[in-house]
Amino acid sequence: MKILVAHPGTQHSFQLAKELEERGLLLRFYTCLAISDKSITGRLITKFLGGSSLRNRIIRSVPQKKIKCFLRLEWNTQKLLRKGADSESVLFERNRMFQELIPDHELMKADIVVGFDTSGWVLAERCKKLNKKFILDVSIAHSLAKQEVYKSIANRYPQWKSTIHYKSPEYIAYEQLEMETATCIMAASSFTKQTLIVNNIAQEKILINPYGVNSLDFKPIPKKRKQGDSIRFVFVGLVDARKGVPLLLESWNLLSLPGATLTLIGPVEEQVKHEILTQYPKVELVGKLSSAELRGVLPTYDVLVFPSFFEGFGLVVLEAMACGLAVITTTATCAVDLMEHFKDGIILEDYSVAGLAGSMRVLAEDQALLETISGNAIVKAEKFNWKAYGDRWESTLKKIHEKPGN
């Protein structure tokens, strides 16, 4: 059985290609830019350009001969984005051209083709014509569901409207097409699956495979907390309304915890940055960190607060658990697939200020509970490593390969 994986960007496609290669299943990995860690170029970048953005394009364990890149396409795309062109239309065009550039003879060699959401509608149709099975990996919940969430957020937090970006109905239609055409869909969370079902995607074609975490990258550090020590809360992600930041800030204002701190880590628009610094001067705003920087600082905090209104998974939840943080998050993330409420995390079923503030207060005032959840979170995260993710993929691929038809 040979699998062709196609993704114009990165996300978790590099990890999937690695896991398939280690199992002898990878035929080819098509992308715009990827550099094998086994190549001379990859070794030089790793050794001398560790802080470069190229570091994120290094793929482990996959030989360069199995990687096919469309460098000119990536170059032209980045050039347009640097000039200020509309990112949605530029990326749509990149994704369309990427799918068309993969030759038929490569698709014919594959037993199964794996594509990714927003870059799979052409591939799905081509595979159907070639009588090839096509799996669509869906990294975020359905866009129509997101539009409804955005409307609700805009009404609740009008001052945060600048961070809400509605998707064109034309592009959503292409996403619907790729989901309907795919042989099956791999979602990362139950939340994502439910939004697809609500939007008329057949339930029986949707599978769930939660992402993984590398315990060598994200790991706890020794903490000698004493009763009464101040607690350190952290949020990690895009600092915008969809991620629940205005809800978090409202809840923080409601709390009065002596010595407690709240840090926001992630990209932030200038308007939002000004709003936070003005209205919430005691909140630390760090900005975007590199992956290496995040791995270094995340374990130093006590609690991750991630009150997102809408996700596909929310990988930082799992990364924080692996680092020994207690996590407070919502049902719109991977929470129900990873956690047991008040055992290895806290899951919010509503989006009330009082509910979030109450959960933060409980962990701040009950050190025993904080330590219990922290310890349980580490144990749970160990079960969701990338090898287990790859094992689940392998099992699914074998079943789909053996099933008649496409």
Side-chain angles (χ1 to χ4, degrees), residues 308-348:
S308 182
F309 289 96
F310 193 89
E311 292 293 325
F313 188 78
L315 189 55
V316 70
V317 170
L318 187 52
E319 292 168 345
M321 291 172 68
C323 290
L325 278 69
V327 176
I328 303 172
T329 189
T330 67
T331 54
T333 68
C334 58
V336 298
D337 300 293
L338 303 186
M339 300 176 179
E340 292 180 59
H341 187 46
F342 267 91
K343 180 179 179 182
D344 36 38
I346 295 180
I347 306 172
L348 302 174

mmCIF file of all heavy atoms in Angstrom, residues 308-348:
data_model
loop_
_atom_site.group_PDB
_atom_site.id
_atom_site.type_symbol
_atom_site.label_atom_id
_atom_site.label_comp_id
_atom_site.label_asym_id
_atom_site.label_seq_id
_atom_site.Cartn_x
_atom_site.Cartn_y
_atom_site.Cartn_z
ATOM 1 N N SER A 308 -11.602 29.195 23.522
ATOM 2 C CA SER A 308 -11.918 29.422 22.116
ATOM 3 C C SER A 308 -13.389 29.153 21.799
ATOM 4 O O SER A 308 -14.005 28.223 22.316
ATOM 5 C CB SER A 308 -11.036 28.542 21.234
ATOM 6 O OG SER A 308 -11.299 28.770 19.875
ATOM 7 N N PHE A 309 -13.920 29.983 20.912
ATOM 8 C CA PHE A 309 -15.287 29.806 20.437
ATOM 9 C C PHE A 309 -15.355 28.829 19.268
ATOM 10 O O PHE A 309 -16.429 28.330 18.951
ATOM 11 C CB PHE A 309 -15.867 31.148 19.976
ATOM 12 C CG PHE A 309 -16.164 32.108 21.082
ATOM 13 C CD1 PHE A 309 -15.251 33.094 21.436
ATOM 14 C CD2 PHE A 309 -17.371 32.055 21.778
ATOM 15 C CE1 PHE A 309 -15.525 33.995 22.458
ATOM 16 C CE2 PHE A 309 -17.657 32.946 22.804
ATOM 17 C CZ PHE A 309 -16.730 33.923 23.144
ATOM 18 N N PHE A 310 -14.202 28.577 18.616
ATOM 19 C CA PHE A 310 -14.264 27.774 17.396
ATOM 20 C C PHE A 310 -12.869 27.292 17.014
ATOM 21 O O PHE A 310 -11.968 28.099 16.787
ATOM 22 C CB PHE A 310 -14.830 28.612 16.249
ATOM 23 C CG PHE A 310 -15.236 27.818 15.038
ATOM 24 C CD1 PHE A 310 -16.521 27.311 14.932
ATOM 25 C CD2 PHE A 310 -14.335 27.587 14.014
ATOM 26 C CE1 PHE A 310 -16.899 26.584 13.811
ATOM 27 C CE2 PHE A 310 -14.698 26.855 12.892
ATOM 28 C CZ PHE A 310 -15.988 26.358 12.787
ATOM 29 N N GLU A 311 -12.685 25.968 16.935
ATOM 30 C CA GLU A 311 -11.403 25.377 16.559
ATOM 31 C C GLU A 311 -11.633 24.168 15.661
ATOM 32 O O GLU A 311 -12.769 23.745 15.420
ATOM 33 C CB GLU A 311 -10.626 24.925 17.804
ATOM 34 C CG GLU A 311 -10.145 26.038 18.693
ATOM 35 C CD GLU A 311 -9.071 26.904 18.060
ATOM 36 O OE1 GLU A 311 -8.237 26.363 17.293
ATOM 37 O OE2 GLU A 311 -9.071 28.119 18.310
ATOM 38 N N GLY A 312 -10.523 23.608 15.210
ATOM 39 C CA GLY A 312 -10.549 22.294 14.599
ATOM 40 C C GLY A 312 -10.012 21.290 15.599
ATOM 41 O O GLY A 312 -10.439 20.148 15.685
ATOM 42 N N PHE A 313 -9.055 21.766 16.400
ATOM 43 C CA PHE A 313 -8.452 20.940 17.443
ATOM 44 C C PHE A 313 -7.939 21.826 18.581
ATOM 45 O O PHE A 313 -8.428 21.759 19.690
ATOM 46 C CB PHE A 313 -7.307 20.107 16.861
ATOM 47 C CG PHE A 313 -6.740 19.099 17.805
ATOM 48 C CD1 PHE A 313 -7.397 17.904 18.035
ATOM 49 C CD2 PHE A 313 -5.531 19.329 18.451
ATOM 50 C CE1 PHE A 313 -6.866 16.959 18.910
ATOM 51 C CE2 PHE A 313 -4.995 18.392 19.322
ATOM 52 C CZ PHE A 313 -5.664 17.209 19.555
ATOM 53 N N GLY A 314 -6.958 22.665 18.283
ATOM 54 C CA GLY A 314 -6.338 23.491 19.314
ATOM 55 C C GLY A 314 -5.126 22.763 19.882
ATOM 56 O O GLY A 314 -5.126 22.339 21.040
ATOM 57 N N LEU A 315 -4.080 22.610 19.052
ATOM 58 C CA LEU A 315 -2.926 21.796 19.429
ATOM 59 C C LEU A 315 -2.247 22.280 20.699
ATOM 60 O O LEU A 315 -1.662 21.493 21.446
ATOM 61 C CB LEU A 315 -1.920 21.754 18.276
ATOM 62 C CG LEU A 315 -0.750 20.779 18.404
ATOM 63 C CD1 LEU A 315 -1.235 19.349 18.648
ATOM 64 C CD2 LEU A 315 0.132 20.830 17.166
ATOM 65 N N VAL A 316 -2.328 23.579 20.965
ATOM 66 C CA VAL A 316 -1.676 24.117 22.165
ATOM 67 C C VAL A 316 -2.255 23.511 23.439
ATOM 68 O O VAL A 316 -1.570 23.436 24.467
ATOM 69 C CB VAL A 316 -1.773 25.659 22.193
ATOM 70 C CG1 VAL A 316 -3.203 26.119 22.458
ATOM 71 C CG2 VAL A 316 -0.832 26.249 23.236
ATOM 72 N N VAL A 317 -3.493 23.057 23.391
ATOM 73 C CA VAL A 317 -4.096 22.384 24.550
ATOM 74 C C VAL A 317 -3.290 21.139 24.902
ATOM 75 O O VAL A 317 -2.921 20.913 26.061
ATOM 76 C CB VAL A 317 -5.571 22.023 24.258
ATOM 77 C CG1 VAL A 317 -6.126 21.108 25.352
ATOM 78 C CG2 VAL A 317 -6.417 23.286 24.142
ATOM 79 N N LEU A 318 -3.008 20.327 23.902
ATOM 80 C CA LEU A 318 -2.242 19.099 24.123
ATOM 81 C C LEU A 318 -0.799 19.407 24.494
ATOM 82 O O LEU A 318 -0.204 18.745 25.362
ATOM 83 C CB LEU A 318 -2.304 18.235 22.855
ATOM 84 C CG LEU A 318 -1.700 16.837 22.914
ATOM 85 C CD1 LEU A 318 -2.236 16.035 24.088
ATOM 86 C CD2 LEU A 318 -1.959 16.100 21.602
ATOM 87 N N GLU A 319 -0.221 20.422 23.872
ATOM 88 C CA GLU A 319 1.152 20.807 24.195
ATOM 89 C C GLU A 319 1.264 21.279 25.640
ATOM 90 O O GLU A 319 2.225 20.944 26.343
ATOM 91 C CB GLU A 319 1.611 21.901 23.227
ATOM 92 C CG GLU A 319 1.776 21.397 21.798
ATOM 93 C CD GLU A 319 1.957 22.498 20.776
ATOM 94 O OE1 GLU A 319 1.676 23.674 21.106
ATOM 95 O OE2 GLU A 319 2.358 22.203 19.638
ATOM 96 N N ALA A 320 0.270 22.041 26.091
ATOM 97 C CA ALA A 320 0.275 22.515 27.472
ATOM 98 C C ALA A 320 0.111 21.361 28.455
ATOM 99 O O ALA A 320 0.771 21.318 29.501
ATOM 100 C CB ALA A 320 -0.835 23.543 27.674
ATOM 101 N N MET A 321 -0.759 20.414 28.126
ATOM 102 C CA MET A 321 -0.935 19.244 28.985
ATOM 103 C C MET A 321 0.377 18.472 29.119
ATOM 104 O O MET A 321 0.752 18.036 30.214
ATOM 105 C CB MET A 321 -2.035 18.334 28.420
ATOM 106 C CG MET A 321 -3.433 18.932 28.504
ATOM 107 S SD MET A 321 -4.686 17.944 27.620
ATOM 108 C CE MET A 321 -4.739 16.464 28.649
ATOM 109 N N ALA A 322 1.095 18.323 27.996
ATOM 110 C CA ALA A 322 2.374 17.613 28.029
ATOM 111 C C ALA A 322 3.392 18.337 28.896
ATOM 112 O O ALA A 322 4.280 17.704 29.483
ATOM 113 C CB ALA A 322 2.910 17.458 26.608
ATOM 114 N N CYS A 323 3.254 19.654 29.008
ATOM 115 C CA CYS A 323 4.161 20.461 29.837
ATOM 116 C C CYS A 323 3.742 20.495 31.300
ATOM 117 O O CYS A 323 4.403 21.131 32.126
ATOM 118 C CB CYS A 323 4.238 21.887 29.299
ATOM 119 S SG CYS A 323 5.096 22.039 27.728
ATOM 120 N N GLY A 324 2.618 19.843 31.615
ATOM 121 C CA GLY A 324 2.170 19.790 32.995
ATOM 122 C C GLY A 324 1.308 20.958 33.414
ATOM 123 O O GLY A 324 1.104 21.173 34.622
ATOM 124 N N LEU A 325 0.762 21.711 32.463
ATOM 125 C CA LEU A 325 -0.155 22.787 32.827
ATOM 126 C C LEU A 325 -1.557 22.220 32.986
ATOM 127 O O LEU A 325 -1.970 21.309 32.250
ATOM 128 C CB LEU A 325 -0.185 23.883 31.745
ATOM 129 C CG LEU A 325 0.934 24.930 31.770
ATOM 130 C CD1 LEU A 325 2.273 24.323 31.396
ATOM 131 C CD2 LEU A 325 0.581 26.088 30.835
ATOM 132 N N ALA A 326 -2.290 22.747 33.943
ATOM 133 C CA ALA A 326 -3.722 22.490 33.980
ATOM 134 C C ALA A 326 -4.339 23.342 32.878
ATOM 135 O O ALA A 326 -3.918 24.475 32.659
ATOM 136 C CB ALA A 326 -4.301 22.868 35.337
ATOM 137 N N VAL A 327 -5.318 22.804 32.159
ATOM 138 C CA VAL A 327 -5.896 23.514 31.022
ATOM 139 C C VAL A 327 -7.371 23.779 31.264
ATOM 140 O O VAL A 327 -8.125 22.887 31.658
ATOM 141 C CB VAL A 327 -5.720 22.712 29.718
ATOM 142 C CG1 VAL A 327 -6.416 23.422 28.554
ATOM 143 C CG2 VAL A 327 -4.246 22.512 29.403
ATOM 144 N N ILE A 328 -7.758 25.027 31.010
ATOM 145 C CA ILE A 328 -9.168 25.405 30.987
ATOM 146 C C ILE A 328 -9.506 25.732 29.543
ATOM 147 O O ILE A 328 -8.913 26.628 28.946
ATOM 148 C CB ILE A 328 -9.448 26.648 31.865
ATOM 149 C CG1 ILE A 328 -9.010 26.411 33.313
ATOM 150 C CG2 ILE A 328 -10.927 27.011 31.807
ATOM 151 C CD1 ILE A 328 -9.092 27.662 34.184
ATOM 152 N N THR A 329 -10.429 24.996 28.967
ATOM 153 C CA THR A 329 -10.811 25.256 27.585
ATOM 154 C C THR A 329 -12.283 24.944 27.379
ATOM 155 O O THR A 329 -13.004 24.706 28.355
ATOM 156 C CB THR A 329 -9.912 24.457 26.614
ATOM 157 O OG1 THR A 329 -10.156 24.883 25.273
ATOM 158 C CG2 THR A 329 -10.159 22.957 26.720
ATOM 159 N N THR A 330 -12.738 24.946 26.133
ATOM 160 C CA THR A 330 -14.163 24.828 25.848
ATOM 161 C C THR A 330 -14.467 23.564 25.046
ATOM 162 O O THR A 330 -13.568 22.869 24.570
ATOM 163 C CB THR A 330 -14.648 26.047 25.032
ATOM 164 O OG1 THR A 330 -14.025 25.998 23.721
ATOM 165 C CG2 THR A 330 -14.271 27.357 25.720
ATOM 166 N N THR A 331 -15.745 23.308 24.843
ATOM 167 C CA THR A 331 -16.175 22.159 24.042
ATOM 168 C C THR A 331 -15.926 22.386 22.551
ATOM 169 O O THR A 331 -16.074 21.451 21.758
ATOM 170 C CB THR A 331 -17.670 21.884 24.261
ATOM 171 O OG1 THR A 331 -18.417 23.078 23.996
ATOM 172 C CG2 THR A 331 -17.944 21.419 25.677
ATOM 173 N N ALA A 332 -15.555 23.599 22.158
ATOM 174 C CA ALA A 332 -15.296 23.921 20.748
ATOM 175 C C ALA A 332 -13.846 23.651 20.371
ATOM 176 O O ALA A 332 -13.344 24.208 19.394
ATOM 177 C CB ALA A 332 -15.656 25.369 20.459
ATOM 178 N N THR A 333 -13.176 22.807 21.124
ATOM 179 C CA THR A 333 -11.777 22.438 20.874
ATOM 180 C C THR A 333 -11.676 20.913 20.909
ATOM 181 O O THR A 333 -12.667 20.207 20.749
ATOM 182 C CB THR A 333 -10.851 23.044 21.939
ATOM 183 O OG1 THR A 333 -11.106 22.406 23.203
ATOM 184 C CG2 THR A 333 -11.066 24.546 22.092
ATOM 185 N N CYS A 334 -10.486 20.420 21.161
ATOM 186 C CA CYS A 334 -10.244 18.979 21.288
ATOM 187 C C CYS A 334 -10.599 18.447 22.669
ATOM 188 O O CYS A 334 -10.409 17.254 22.949
ATOM 189 C CB CYS A 334 -8.776 18.683 21.006
ATOM 190 S SG CYS A 334 -7.640 19.587 22.116
ATOM 191 N N ALA A 335 -11.110 19.295 23.538
ATOM 192 C CA ALA A 335 -11.256 18.961 24.962
ATOM 193 C C ALA A 335 -11.984 17.643 25.212
ATOM 194 O O ALA A 335 -11.517 16.802 25.982
ATOM 195 C CB ALA A 335 -11.963 20.097 25.694
ATOM 196 N N VAL A 336 -13.139 17.461 24.562
ATOM 197 C CA VAL A 336 -13.932 16.260 24.869
ATOM 198 C C VAL A 336 -13.251 14.989 24.369
ATOM 199 O O VAL A 336 -13.589 13.888 24.816
ATOM 200 C CB VAL A 336 -15.358 16.371 24.276
ATOM 201 C CG1 VAL A 336 -16.106 17.538 24.891
ATOM 202 C CG2 VAL A 336 -15.312 16.511 22.762
ATOM 203 N N ASP A 337 -12.296 15.109 23.465
ATOM 204 C CA ASP A 337 -11.575 13.940 22.960
ATOM 205 C C ASP A 337 -10.347 13.606 23.800
ATOM 206 O O ASP A 337 -9.809 12.502 23.712
ATOM 207 C CB ASP A 337 -11.136 14.185 21.509
ATOM 208 C CG ASP A 337 -12.313 14.447 20.591
ATOM 209 O OD1 ASP A 337 -13.093 13.503 20.382
ATOM 210 O OD2 ASP A 337 -12.456 15.578 20.115
ATOM 211 N N LEU A 338 -9.890 14.573 24.607
ATOM 212 C CA LEU A 338 -8.670 14.374 25.383
ATOM 213 C C LEU A 338 -8.899 14.318 26.886
ATOM 214 O O LEU A 338 -8.163 13.639 27.597
ATOM 215 C CB LEU A 338 -7.676 15.518 25.118
ATOM 216 C CG LEU A 338 -7.217 15.807 23.694
ATOM 217 C CD1 LEU A 338 -6.129 16.879 23.714
ATOM 218 C CD2 LEU A 338 -6.701 14.560 23.017
ATOM 219 N N MET A 339 -9.875 15.054 27.373
ATOM 220 C CA MET A 339 -9.977 15.298 28.818
ATOM 221 C C MET A 339 -11.210 14.679 29.458
ATOM 222 O O MET A 339 -12.227 14.475 28.808
ATOM 223 C CB MET A 339 -10.065 16.814 29.087
ATOM 224 C CG MET A 339 -8.915 17.631 28.618
ATOM 225 S SD MET A 339 -9.310 19.386 28.958
ATOM 226 C CE MET A 339 -7.827 20.153 28.352
ATOM 227 N N GLU A 340 -11.073 14.456 30.751
ATOM 228 C CA GLU A 340 -12.220 14.212 31.619
ATOM 229 C C GLU A 340 -12.335 15.435 32.525
ATOM 230 O O GLU A 340 -11.347 15.835 33.165
ATOM 231 C CB GLU A 340 -12.022 12.950 32.447
ATOM 232 C CG GLU A 340 -12.037 11.669 31.623
ATOM 233 C CD GLU A 340 -11.849 10.442 32.489
ATOM 234 O OE1 GLU A 340 -12.685 10.234 33.421
ATOM 235 O OE2 GLU A 340 -10.872 9.702 32.273
ATOM 236 N N HIS A 341 -13.512 16.007 32.567
ATOM 237 C CA HIS A 341 -13.736 17.263 33.280
ATOM 238 C C HIS A 341 -13.312 17.155 34.749
ATOM 239 O O HIS A 341 -13.709 16.240 35.464
ATOM 240 C CB HIS A 341 -15.215 17.632 33.188
ATOM 241 C CG HIS A 341 -15.555 18.975 33.744
ATOM 242 N ND1 HIS A 341 -14.828 20.117 33.464
ATOM 243 C CD2 HIS A 341 -16.565 19.377 34.562
ATOM 244 C CE1 HIS A 341 -15.371 21.150 34.079
ATOM 245 N NE2 HIS A 341 -16.422 20.722 34.756
ATOM 246 N N PHE A 342 -12.442 18.069 35.170
ATOM 247 C CA PHE A 342 -11.913 18.179 36.520
ATOM 248 C C PHE A 342 -11.020 16.993 36.907
ATOM 249 O O PHE A 342 -10.667 16.834 38.072
ATOM 250 C CB PHE A 342 -13.026 18.358 37.561
ATOM 251 C CG PHE A 342 -13.303 19.810 37.859
ATOM 252 C CD1 PHE A 342 -14.260 20.499 37.132
ATOM 253 C CD2 PHE A 342 -12.598 20.488 38.834
ATOM 254 C CE1 PHE A 342 -14.505 21.840 37.386
ATOM 255 C CE2 PHE A 342 -12.827 21.822 39.087
ATOM 256 C CZ PHE A 342 -13.788 22.513 38.364
ATOM 257 N N LYS A 343 -10.645 16.165 35.920
ATOM 258 C CA LYS A 343 -9.665 15.114 36.190
ATOM 259 C C LYS A 343 -8.317 15.484 35.568
ATOM 260 O O LYS A 343 -7.309 15.558 36.272
ATOM 261 C CB LYS A 343 -10.132 13.764 35.656
ATOM 262 C CG LYS A 343 -9.115 12.655 35.923
ATOM 263 C CD LYS A 343 -9.586 11.307 35.402
ATOM 264 C CE LYS A 343 -8.532 10.219 35.677
ATOM 265 N NZ LYS A 343 -8.954 8.898 35.142
ATOM 266 N N ASP A 344 -8.305 15.714 34.248
ATOM 267 C CA ASP A 344 -7.062 16.135 33.605
ATOM 268 C C ASP A 344 -7.234 17.437 32.827
ATOM 269 O O ASP A 344 -6.465 17.760 31.943
ATOM 270 C CB ASP A 344 -6.492 15.042 32.689
ATOM 271 C CG ASP A 344 -7.578 14.250 31.986
ATOM 272 O OD1 ASP A 344 -8.582 14.860 31.584
ATOM 273 O OD2 ASP A 344 -7.419 13.027 31.835
ATOM 274 N N GLY A 345 -8.258 18.193 33.180
ATOM 275 C CA GLY A 345 -8.516 19.496 32.587
ATOM 276 C C GLY A 345 -9.884 19.985 33.005
ATOM 277 O O GLY A 345 -10.643 19.268 33.658
ATOM 278 N N ILE A 346 -10.189 21.222 32.649
ATOM 279 C CA ILE A 346 -11.507 21.787 32.938
ATOM 280 C C ILE A 346 -12.145 22.189 31.615
ATOM 281 O O ILE A 346 -11.552 22.925 30.817
ATOM 282 C CB ILE A 346 -11.409 23.004 33.880
ATOM 283 C CG1 ILE A 346 -10.884 22.562 35.251
ATOM 284 C CG2 ILE A 346 -12.760 23.699 34.011
ATOM 285 C CD1 ILE A 346 -10.748 23.687 36.262
ATOM 286 N N ILE A 347 -13.363 21.691 31.366
ATOM 287 C CA ILE A 347 -14.057 21.932 30.109
ATOM 288 C C ILE A 347 -15.259 22.835 30.362
ATOM 289 O O ILE A 347 -16.164 22.485 31.123
ATOM 290 C CB ILE A 347 -14.527 20.612 29.478
ATOM 291 C CG1 ILE A 347 -13.356 19.636 29.327
ATOM 292 C CG2 ILE A 347 -15.175 20.879 28.119
ATOM 293 C CD1 ILE A 347 -13.769 18.244 28.886
ATOM 294 N N LEU A 348 -15.265 23.991 29.706
ATOM 295 C CA LEU A 348 -16.377 24.931 29.827
ATOM 296 C C LEU A 348 -17.425 24.624 28.774
ATOM 297 O O LEU A 348 -17.116 24.563 27.584
ATOM 298 C CB LEU A 348 -15.889 26.373 29.644
ATOM 299 C CG LEU A 348 -14.793 26.861 30.608
ATOM 300 C CD1 LEU A 348 -14.326 28.244 30.189
ATOM 301 C CD2 LEU A 348 -15.320 26.874 32.031
#
